[in-house]
Amino acid sequence: MTTPQVWVSATAQDIDYDGETPGSHWKLVGGIDTVQESDFFTYIQVLIGGHRTVKGSPAFYLDGDPDSEWVRQCNNQPPFWVAIDPWGEPRTSIHGAHPTYLVSSAKATVTSLIRRPPEPHPGRTVRPLKVPIKLKRVDGEVFTLWVQPE
């Protein structure tokens, strides 16, 4: 199973794929533990073709990179755009996994969620900082799918 990567941008939702990242204005801030965030993961699966319906609200706990300045300052961040790479780092070794990003339809916010943050797996050597992120719907959609043209 892959760990989707989460990128944020304060300036624009445009993807300017450079062969490795969604663009220079995006910052990689962490990933999504798909086991702990299985309801939210259905939002990703619907867009990449592995699921028909979504569960729960469009919110998740980011496994934030403790070395990321954005993560350390997340409580002071204004609303931001989110781009999720559903394949994460192993994309290059997954047959048929073209560069793909799910871009938030509206700006997201760091907010408190009703449920408590899940505990990181005890075997992880670097403990992520749990950041609660809430996405908004626009015309019923949470994400816009971007796939690199062939």
Side-chain angles (χ1 to χ4, degrees):
M1 181 172 289
T2 64
T3 299
Q5 291 178 320
V6 178
W7 301 75
V8 297
S9 172
T11 57
Q13 72 183 128
D14 300 331
I15 299 292
D16 300 317
Y17 187 68
D18 62 11
E20 293 183 29
T21 72
S24 61
H25 62 281
W26 291 96
K27 294 177 188 170
L28 178 61
V29 295
I32 298 173
D33 182 329
T34 57
V35 172
Q36 294 178 338
E37 297 297 329
S38 59
D39 282 356
F40 179 75
F41 189 53
T42 62
Y43 284 86
I44 295 170
Q45 290 173 314
V46 163
L47 287 172
I48 60 174
H51 212 271
R52 291 182 184 260
T53 59
V54 297
K55 291 189 213 174
S57 68
F60 65 97
Y61 279 99
L62 168 73
D63 277 1
D65 178 354
D67 292 332
S68 165
E69 182 179 333
W70 188 93
V71 170
R72 289 192 310 270
Q73 310 249 335
C74 68
N75 290 327
N76 299 323
Q77 298 294 342
F80 50 92
W81 299 103
V82 173
I84 297 174
D85 177 349
W87 313 115
E89 284 186 33
R91 177 180 7 95
T92 56
S93 62
I94 300 172
H95 179 69
H98 299 288
T100 304
Y101 291 95
L102 284 67
V103 182
S104 59
S105 298
K107 287 187 174 181
T109 55
V110 172
T111 186
S112 60
L113 300 180
I114 294 172
R115 61 190 172 87
R116 292 177 38 180
E119 287 294 320
H121 188 280
R124 291 186 75 166
T125 55
V126 176
R127 294 185 59 85
L129 301 175
K130 296 290 187 174
V131 179
I133 295 179
K134 181 149 179 86
L135 298 158
K136 296 178 184 167
R137 296 179 196 273
V138 173
D139 296 329
E141 300 298 324
V142 175
F143 293 112
T144 301
L145 180 64
W146 181 92
V147 179
Q148 182 184 22
E150 291 188 39

